[in-house]
Coordinates of all heavy atoms in Angstrom, one line a residue:
L1 N 4.6 -14.8 -1.6 CA 5.4 -14.4 -2.7 C 5.6 -15.5 -3.7 O 5.4 -15.3 -4.9 CB 6.7 -13.9 -2.2 CG 6.8 -12.5 -1.6 CD1 8.1 -12.3 -0.9 CD2 6.5 -11.4 -2.6
D2 N 5.8 -16.7 -3.2 CA 6.0 -17.9 -4.1 C 4.7 -18.2 -4.8 O 4.7 -18.5 -6.0 CB 6.4 -19.1 -3.3 CG 7.8 -19.0 -2.7 OD1 8.6 -18.2 -3.2 OD2 8.1 -19.8 -1.8
M3 N 3.6 -18.1 -4.1 CA 2.3 -18.3 -4.7 C 2.0 -17.3 -5.9 O 1.6 -17.6 -7.0 CB 1.2 -18.2 -3.7 CG -0.2 -18.4 -4.2 SD -1.5 -18.2 -3.0 CE -1.3 -16.5 -2.5
L4 N 2.3 -16.0 -5.6 CA 2.1 -15.0 -6.6 C 3.0 -15.2 -7.8 O 2.6 -14.9 -8.9 CB 2.3 -13.6 -5.9 CG 1.2 -13.1 -5.0 CD1 1.7 -12.0 -4.1 CD2 0.0 -12.7 -5.8
S5 N 4.2 -15.6 -7.5 CA 5.1 -15.9 -8.6 C 4.7 -17.1 -9.5 O 4.8 -17.0 -10.7 CB 6.5 -16.2 -8.0 OG 7.5 -16.4 -9.0
A6 N 4.2 -18.1 -8.8 CA 3.7 -19.3 -9.6 C 2.4 -19.0 -10.3 O 2.1 -19.7 -11.3 CB 3.5 -20.4 -8.6
H7 N 1.6 -18.0 -9.9 CA 0.3 -17.7 -10.5 C 0.3 -16.2 -11.0 O -0.3 -15.4 -10.2 CB -0.8 -18.0 -9.6 CG -0.8 -19.4 -9.1 ND1 -1.3 -20.5 -9.9 CD2 -0.3 -20.0 -8.0 CE1 -1.1 -21.6 -9.2 NE2 -0.5 -21.4 -8.1
P8 N 0.9 -15.9 -12.1 CA 1.0 -14.5 -12.5 C -0.3 -13.8 -12.7 O -0.3 -12.5 -12.7 CB 1.9 -14.5 -13.7 CG 1.9 -15.9 -14.2 CD 1.6 -16.8 -13.0
D9 N -1.4 -14.5 -12.9 CA -2.7 -13.8 -13.1 C -3.4 -13.6 -11.8 O -4.5 -13.0 -11.8 CB -3.5 -14.6 -14.1 CG -2.9 -14.7 -15.5 OD1 -2.2 -13.7 -15.9 OD2 -3.2 -15.7 -16.2
L10 N -2.9 -14.1 -10.7 CA -3.6 -14.0 -9.4 C -3.5 -12.5 -8.9 O -2.5 -11.9 -9.0 CB -2.9 -14.9 -8.4 CG -3.5 -15.0 -7.0 CD1 -4.9 -15.5 -7.1 CD2 -2.6 -15.8 -6.1
R11 N -4.7 -12.0 -8.5 CA -4.8 -10.7 -7.9 C -5.4 -10.9 -6.5 O -6.4 -11.6 -6.4 CB -5.7 -9.8 -8.8 CG -5.1 -9.6 -10.2 CD -6.1 -9.0 -11.2 NE -6.3 -7.6 -10.8 CZ -5.5 -6.6 -11.3 NH1 -4.5 -6.8 -12.1 NH2 -5.8 -5.3 -10.9
L12 N -4.9 -10.1 -5.6 CA -5.4 -10.3 -4.2 C -5.9 -8.9 -3.6 O -5.3 -7.9 -3.9 CB -4.2 -10.8 -3.3 CG -3.6 -12.1 -3.7 CD1 -2.4 -12.4 -2.8 CD2 -4.7 -13.2 -3.5
V13 N -6.8 -9.1 -2.7 CA -7.2 -8.0 -1.8 C -6.7 -8.4 -0.4 O -7.0 -9.5 0.1 CB -8.7 -7.8 -1.7 CG1 -9.1 -6.7 -0.8 CG2 -9.3 -7.5 -3.1
I14 N -5.9 -7.5 0.2 CA -5.3 -7.8 1.5 C -6.2 -7.1 2.5 O -6.3 -5.8 2.5 CB -3.9 -7.3 1.6 CG1 -3.1 -8.0 0.5 CG2 -3.3 -7.6 2.9 CD1 -1.7 -7.3 0.1
E15 N -6.8 -7.8 3.4 CA -7.8 -7.3 4.3 C -7.2 -7.3 5.7 O -6.8 -8.3 6.2 CB -9.1 -8.1 4.3 CG -9.8 -8.0 3.0 CD -11.1 -8.8 3.1 OE1 -11.4 -9.5 4.1 OE2 -11.9 -8.6 2.1
G16 N -7.2 -6.1 6.4 CA -6.7 -6.0 7.8 C -7.9 -6.0 8.7 O -9.0 -5.4 8.4
H17 N -7.8 -6.6 9.9 CA -8.8 -6.7 10.9 C -8.2 -6.5 12.3 O -7.0 -6.7 12.5 CB -9.5 -8.1 10.9 CG -10.1 -8.4 9.5 ND1 -11.3 -8.0 9.2 CD2 -9.6 -9.0 8.5 CE1 -11.6 -8.4 7.9 NE2 -10.5 -9.1 7.5
T18 N -9.1 -6.0 13.2 CA -8.7 -5.9 14.6 C -9.7 -6.5 15.5 O -10.8 -6.9 15.1 CB -8.5 -4.4 15.0 OG1 -9.8 -3.8 14.9 CG2 -7.6 -3.7 14.1
D19 N -9.4 -6.5 16.8 CA -10.4 -6.9 17.8 C -11.3 -5.7 18.1 O -11.1 -4.6 17.5 CB -9.8 -7.5 19.1 CG -8.9 -6.6 19.8 OD1 -9.0 -5.3 19.7 OD2 -7.9 -7.1 20.5
N20 N -12.1 -5.8 19.1 CA -13.0 -4.6 19.4 C -12.6 -3.8 20.6 O -13.3 -3.0 21.1 CB -14.5 -5.1 19.6 CG -14.7 -5.9 20.9 OD1 -13.7 -6.3 21.5 ND2 -15.9 -6.2 21.2
V21 N -11.4 -4.0 21.1 CA -10.8 -3.2 22.2 C -10.4 -1.9 21.7 O -9.6 -1.7 20.7 CB -9.7 -4.0 22.9 CG1 -9.1 -3.1 24.0 CG2 -10.2 -5.3 23.4
G22 N -10.8 -0.8 22.4 CA -10.4 0.5 22.1 C -11.4 1.2 21.1 O -12.4 0.7 20.8
D23 N -10.9 2.4 20.6 CA -11.7 3.3 19.8 C -11.9 2.6 18.4 O -10.9 2.2 17.8 CB -11.0 4.6 19.7 CG -11.8 5.6 18.8 OD1 -12.8 6.1 19.2 OD2 -11.2 5.8 17.7
S24 N -13.1 2.6 17.9 CA -13.4 1.9 16.6 C -12.7 2.7 15.4 O -12.2 2.1 14.5 CB -14.9 1.8 16.3 OG -15.5 3.1 16.2
G25 N -12.6 4.0 15.5 CA -11.8 4.8 14.5 C -10.3 4.4 14.5 O -9.8 4.2 13.4
K26 N -9.8 4.3 15.7 CA -8.3 3.9 15.7 C -8.2 2.5 15.3 O -7.2 2.1 14.6 CB -7.8 4.1 17.2 CG -7.7 5.6 17.5 CD -7.2 5.7 18.9 CE -7.1 7.2 19.3 NZ -6.7 7.4 20.7
N27 N -9.1 1.6 15.6 CA -9.0 0.2 15.1 C -9.1 0.2 13.6 O -8.4 -0.7 13.0 CB -10.1 -0.6 15.7 CG -9.8 -1.0 17.2 OD1 -8.7 -1.0 17.6 ND2 -10.8 -1.4 17.9
K28 N -9.9 1.0 13.0 CA -10.0 1.0 11.5 C -8.7 1.4 10.9 O -8.2 0.8 10.0 CB -11.1 2.0 11.1 CG -11.2 2.2 9.6 CD -12.4 1.6 9.0 CE -12.7 2.0 7.6 NZ -11.8 1.4 6.6
T29 N -8.1 2.5 11.5 CA -6.8 2.9 11.0 C -5.7 1.8 11.2 O -4.9 1.6 10.3 CB -6.4 4.2 11.8 OG1 -7.3 5.2 11.5 CG2 -5.0 4.7 11.3
L30 N -5.7 1.2 12.4 CA -4.8 0.1 12.6 C -5.0 -1.0 11.6 O -4.0 -1.6 11.1 CB -5.0 -0.4 14.0 CG -4.1 -1.6 14.4 CD1 -2.6 -1.3 14.3 CD2 -4.4 -2.1 15.8
S31 N -6.2 -1.4 11.3 CA -6.4 -2.5 10.3 C -6.0 -2.1 8.9 O -5.4 -2.9 8.2 CB -7.9 -2.9 10.3 OG -8.7 -1.8 9.8
E32 N -6.1 -0.8 8.6 CA -5.7 -0.3 7.3 C -4.1 -0.4 7.2 O -3.5 -0.8 6.2 CB -6.1 1.1 7.0 CG -7.6 1.2 6.8 CD -8.2 2.6 6.9 OE1 -7.4 3.5 7.3 OE2 -9.4 2.8 6.5
Q33 N -3.5 0.0 8.3 CA -2.0 0.0 8.4 C -1.5 -1.5 8.3 O -0.5 -1.7 7.7 CB -1.5 0.7 9.7 CG -1.8 2.2 9.7 CD -1.5 2.8 11.0 OE1 -1.5 2.1 12.1 NE2 -1.3 4.1 11.0
R34 N -2.2 -2.4 9.0 CA -1.8 -3.8 9.0 C -1.9 -4.3 7.6 O -0.9 -5.0 7.1 CB -2.8 -4.5 9.9 CG -2.4 -5.9 10.3 CD -3.4 -6.4 11.4 NE -2.9 -5.9 12.7 CZ -3.6 -5.8 13.8 NH1 -4.9 -6.2 13.8 NH2 -3.1 -5.5 14.9

């Protein structure tokens, strides 16, 4: 938040990731939620 406040032109993509345990579809959903 401080970084975004100090750099008002900064735009970010927030990327979620998981490990490979479990169903890949559920992992994709979990990473999106994260």
Side-chain angles (χ1 to χ4, degrees):
L1 286 168
D2 291 344
M3 178 184 62
L4 287 164
S5 179
H7 302 280
D9 294 333
L10 184 63
R11 300 171 69 87
L12 298 175
V13 179
I14 303 163
E15 298 182 349
H17 301 274
T18 65
D19 60 26
N20 69 349
V21 175
D23 178 74
S24 63
K26 289 180 182 176
N27 282 340
K28 174 108 169 76
T29 299
L30 176 60
S31 67
E32 291 167 350
Q33 292 170 341
R34 194 171 275 161

